[in-house]
């Protein structure tokens, strides 16, 4: 009998081992922080969306659905009332209540947070009862639900107990307990964290929702080198890579046992300039700022060949754009998108000469080397293109952690830079409010170069509250036309979302490049 019992225990152990499903995946850069308010950046937010949760979330079709709020209504045009999901626990066992939502709003809007723009119109969050909370907005906001779909709720008790009631400012390279630890309500909980190396998650056994995944352990690995990352996939060391070099797409796709997942992304990659300082921080021009002159900015447009970038750098895996938003974003204007000025080096040189720079000038270009598809290679191509009109670019490429700390507020220590933006609301107002509106409070927080046009500001404010769709889209198009005439930024393209995985991995690829682990299954 004893042997039979031991055999049964051994068999059960084998069954448990067989059921254990580890999913290993890799990216070229790290998450940088476990604090969901540390940076308004897609990769950090999508990773933390597996641990923390919002009041409303997006489904497989990117439509809004209930999450920590089960339903909501508007008692008045400027009040949103959310009815919270009962019996939800944080990973440490603490009950989720309206107090956590009110605390999270204050923390997200407070010092050190990089996500305050998600709540820019919210003037007050108040507890109605333990499972009801109200948001008061400064004016009617027809897209509030879209704006808060990636605003994650933190535990008031946990944050305060661990001296993390205020977000650590990543732009100042600050840290606190929430930088390396986490306590959400989401489908996965943090097990271990080794910055720039590996982060391990495991399922939250007490999650309120039905798990669609079959994972028992998730290992996220940082593999910065592209060749090494692809080799890790093909050797079986990892099951999936989130960033695939365009030059390796064909090879992976024809290798048995692996599959390329690819679709057009909603993110627009663009160039920006410091248009605010009287003298550039990183230039050989003294006493002047060339980028304050629209003729210089237009010269750059005439010199940069986006078709060459598409064909040579991106291997055909990008869609050149003259708008700061692409197809799939509400307010996209196809006619305006086709109006990009042609490449004309003679016109570019003439514009530079008219602006007082007949021999060009020197400037440093800040660029990430582990954030966007072929980001450093794009910057190298732009550098070569601008050299043809006498602009001497010194390229400063660095990892995303250092790059964002350098260029983002409150420092904005850049003269010329490459950046990408996905409107989290899938609406053009998000881009206008964050990138084109004059820096003022939450507005223009990611307007790194300080572009400013009073009419664009006026239109952005009106678009925020306009409920007539036709009139709203007309105003969006007007704002886009003004921004393009000003060359407020230089849009380059929408990149392709390219992932690669073993064929036994089931996953959902979204056009916003979010990667919800709750949809992953290993067959």
């Amino acid at each position: 009998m004893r042997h039979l019992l031991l055999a049964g225990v051994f068999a059960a152990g084998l069954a448990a081992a067989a059921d254990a499903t580890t999913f290993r995946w890799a990216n070229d850069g790290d998450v940088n922080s476990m604090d969901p308010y540390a940076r308004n950046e897609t990769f950090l937010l999508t990773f933390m969306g597996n641990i923390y949760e919002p009041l409303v979330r997006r489904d497989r079709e990117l439509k809004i659905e209930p999450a920590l709020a089960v339903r909501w209504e508007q008692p008045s045009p400027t009040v949103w009332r959310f009815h919270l999901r009962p019996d939800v626990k944080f990973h440490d066992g603490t009950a989720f209540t309206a107090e956590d939502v009110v605390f999270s709003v204050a923390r997200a809007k407070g010092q050190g947070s990089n996500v305050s723009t998600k709540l820019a119109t919210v003037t007050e969050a108040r507890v109605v009862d333990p499972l009801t909370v109200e948001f008061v907005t400064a004016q009617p906001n027809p897209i509030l639900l879209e704006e808060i779909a990636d605003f994650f709720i933190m535990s008031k008790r946990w944050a305060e107990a661990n001296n993390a009631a205020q977000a650590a400012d990543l732009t100042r390279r600050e840290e606190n307990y929430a930088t390396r630890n986490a306590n959400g309500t989401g489908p996965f909980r943090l097990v271990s964290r080794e910055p720039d190396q590996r982060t391990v998650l495991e399922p939250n056994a007490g999650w309120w929702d039905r798990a669609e995944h079959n994972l028992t352990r998730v290992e996220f690995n940082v593999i910065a080198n592209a060749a090494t990352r692809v080799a890790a996939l093909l050797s079986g060391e990892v099951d999936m890579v989130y960033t695939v070099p365009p030059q390796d797409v064909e090879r992976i796709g024809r290798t048995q046992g692996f599959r390329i997942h690819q679709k057009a992304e909603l993110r627009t990659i663009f160039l920006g300039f410091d248009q605010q300082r009287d003298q550039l921080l990183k230039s050989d021009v003294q006493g002047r700022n060339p980028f304050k002159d629209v003729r210089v900015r237009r010269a750059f447009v005439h010199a940069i060949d986006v078709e060459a970038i598409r064909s040579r750098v991106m291997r055909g895996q990008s869609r050149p754009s003259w708008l700061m938003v692409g197809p799939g974003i509400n307010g996209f204007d196809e006619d305006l998108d086709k109006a990009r000025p042609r490449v004309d080096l003679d016109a570019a040189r003439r514009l530079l000469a008219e602006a007082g720079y007949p021999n060009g000038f020197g400037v440093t270009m800040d660029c990430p080397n582990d954030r966007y598809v072929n980001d450093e290679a794009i910057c190298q191509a732009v550098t070569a293109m601008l050299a043809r009109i006498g602009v001497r670019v010194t390229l400063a490429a660095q990892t995303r952690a250092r790059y964002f700390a350098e260029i983002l507020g409150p420092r904005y220590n850049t003269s010329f830079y490459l950046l990408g933006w996905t409107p989290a609301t899938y609406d053009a107002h998000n881009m206008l409010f964050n990138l084109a509106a004059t820096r003022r409070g939450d507005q223009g927080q990611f307007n790194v170069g300080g572009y400013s046009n009073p009419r664009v500001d006026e239109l952005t404010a009106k678009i925020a509250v306009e409920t007539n769709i036709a009139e709203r889209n007309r105003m969006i198009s007007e704002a886009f036309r003004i921004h393009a005439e000003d060359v407020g930024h230089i849009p380059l393209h929408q990149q392709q979302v390219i992932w690669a995985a073993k064929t036994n991995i089931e996953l959902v690829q979204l056009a916003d490049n979010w990667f919800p682990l709750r949809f992953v299954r290993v067959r």
Side-chain angles (χ1 to χ4, degrees):
M1 178 65 73
R2 180 173 179 272
H3 292 296
L4 287 174
L5 287 172
L6 287 174
V9 170
F10 182 67
L14 286 177
D19 290 340
T21 307
T22 297
F23 174 65
R24 299 177 178 88
W25 63 295
N27 188 37
D28 55 353
D30 197 12
V31 189
N32 294 152
S33 178
M34 293 292 99
D35 190 327
Y37 306 163
R39 181 167 287 148
N40 193 357
E41 184 247 346
T42 298
F43 189 69
L44 184 148
L45 292 173
T46 185
F47 190 93
M48 298 314 298
N50 297 301
I51 299 173
Y52 290 95
E53 293 179 295
L55 296 178
V56 298
R57 70 186 184 190
R58 295 191 183 275
D59 63 14
R60 292 168 179 255
E61 283 72 47
L62 297 178
K63 293 183 173 60
I64 295 293
E65 67 177 7
L68 291 180
V70 292
R71 60 187 176 88
W72 48 89
E73 69 263 355
Q74 283 191 267
S76 76
T78 58
V79 176
W80 290 74
R81 181 176 297 151
F82 295 92
H83 300 273
L84 307 181
R85 191 174 297 278
D87 304 319
V88 173
K89 305 282 189 185
F90 286 97
H91 296 159
D92 66 355
T94 305
F96 160 68
T97 72
E99 292 282 358
D100 299 302
V101 179
V102 172
F103 165 79
S104 295
V105 169
R107 190 179 189 274
K109 289 176 72 70
Q111 188 174 345
S113 169
N114 197 232
V115 301
S116 60
T117 58
K118 301 179 186 302
L119 300 160
T121 63
V122 177
T123 58
E124 181 187 2
R126 60 197 182 202
V127 173
V128 177
D129 61 46
L131 289 177
T132 310
V133 65
E134 288 183 344
F135 285 9
V136 181
T137 59
Q139 63 270 333
N141 183 351
I143 59 170
L144 179 69
L145 295 181
E146 284 78 9
E147 289 179 333
I148 64 171
D150 58 357
F151 161 55
F152 301 127
I153 306 303
M154 298 184 70
S155 164
K156 179 177 187 290
R157 177 178 171 183
W158 178 84
E160 291 179 343
N162 291 290
N163 297 315
Q166 179 178 299
D169 189 343
L170 268 192
T171 65
R172 299 179 185 274
R173 301 180 186 176
E174 296 175 353
E175 283 199 16
N176 62 24
Y177 190 77
T179 305
R180 295 173 183 253
N181 300 274
N183 180 39
T185 60
F188 293 88
R189 58 180 293 273
L190 180 64
V191 173
S192 63
R193 169 76 174 150
E194 300 172 70
D196 296 317
Q197 295 183 55
R198 176 177 292 124
T199 302
V200 178
L201 309 179
E202 68 180 18
N204 172 16
W207 191 36
W208 57 267
D209 203 359
R210 180 182 64 84
E212 295 183 47
H213 68 84
N214 66 343
L215 310 180
T216 55
R217 179 181 172 90
V218 176
E219 295 181 4
F220 165 65
N221 301 274
V222 179
I223 307 177
N225 182 271
T228 305
R229 192 165 62 253
V230 171
L233 174 70
L234 297 180
S235 68
E237 184 181 339
V238 298
D239 303 303
M240 178 262 192
V241 292
Y242 179 85
T243 305
V244 180
Q247 63 270 21
D248 291 308
V249 169
E250 185 179 348
R251 177 165 70 102
I252 296 171
R254 65 171 183 260
T255 301
Q256 187 173 1
F258 298 92
R259 178 187 171 192
I260 291 292
H261 298 261
Q262 181 172 350
K263 67 165 51 179
E265 190 181 15
L266 297 177
R267 183 192 320 276
T268 298
I269 306 298
F270 62 90
L271 303 174
F273 326 84
D274 178 357
Q275 301 172 53
Q276 192 168 58
R277 292 181 176 90
D278 291 329
Q279 179 176 306
L280 294 177
L281 289 176
K282 305 175 182 181
S283 173
D284 60 7
V285 178
Q286 298 299 308
R288 298 174 67 188
N289 178 347
F291 295 134
K292 282 193 170 188
D293 193 320
V294 69
R295 292 172 295 187
V296 172
R297 304 196 297 272
R298 287 175 181 163
F300 275 44
V301 174
H302 283 303
I304 295 170
D305 188 341
V306 293
E307 282 296 334
I309 292 173
R310 181 194 66 81
S311 61
R312 298 171 194 169
V313 180
M314 300 300 291
R315 308 283 181 106
Q317 295 162 7
S318 67
R319 177 193 173 279
S321 177
W322 182 232
L323 282 186
M324 293 287 284
V325 300
I329 300 298
N330 181 65
F332 172 76
D333 188 317
E334 188 172 359
D335 290 336
L336 287 176
D337 194 48
K338 293 177 180 177
R340 186 185 199 95
R342 62 189 177 88
V343 176
D344 187 335
L345 300 184
D346 289 336
R349 295 186 190 102
R350 184 170 61 253
L351 285 165
L352 283 181
E354 290 174 2
Y357 306 96
N359 300 315
F361 59 91
V363 66
T364 294
M365 180 182 190
D366 291 300
C367 183
N369 59 17
D370 64 352
R371 179 61 195 94
Y372 311 113
V373 178
N374 275 0
D375 42 17
E376 185 174 3
I378 294 169
C379 293
Q380 289 170 343
V382 169
T383 296
M385 291 170 183
L386 292 175
R388 299 181 300 179
I389 61 170
V391 176
R392 302 171 295 281
V393 176
T394 300
L395 182 59
Q398 52 190 332
T399 62
R400 71 180 73 185
R402 293 182 177 276
Y403 171 74
F404 286 127
E406 180 76 359
I407 75 157
L408 294 182
R411 291 151 50 97
Y412 301 112
N413 283 351
T414 185
S415 298
F416 181 40
Y417 61 93
L418 177 136
L419 196 59
W421 188 263
T422 303
T425 59
Y426 311 123
D427 185 272
H429 175 266
N430 176 271
M431 170 265 147
L432 291 168
F433 183 84
N434 284 284
L435 302 180
T438 302
R439 291 203 302 252
R440 188 182 305 121
D442 289 333
Q443 174 181 289
Q445 187 175 353
F446 298 91
N447 182 356
V448 175
Y451 167 75
S452 182
N453 183 298
R455 179 56 178 164
V456 171
D457 290 345
E458 180 185 355
L459 288 166
T460 300
K462 289 181 177 179
I463 291 163
V465 299
E466 179 59 62
T467 56
N468 181 291
I469 295 176
E471 175 61 15
R472 191 171 187 273
N473 286 339
R474 185 201 66 75
M475 290 192 292
I476 289 172
S477 291
E478 182 183 348
F480 280 159
R481 279 195 300 273
I482 295 169
H483 179 266
E485 289 167 3
D486 288 345
V487 193
H489 301 81
I490 299 181
L492 296 178
H493 58 244
Q494 286 87 42
Q495 63 187 26
Q496 291 277 310
V497 179
I498 307 173
W499 302 344
K502 296 177 180 177
T503 51
N504 69 320
I505 303 297
E506 295 178 1
L507 52 81
V508 175
Q509 187 178 43
L510 303 174
D512 57 1
N513 212 3
W514 276 57
F515 182 35
L517 293 171
R518 72 180 192 269
F519 296 142
V520 176
R521 296 185 64 83
V522 180
R523 295 196 306 270

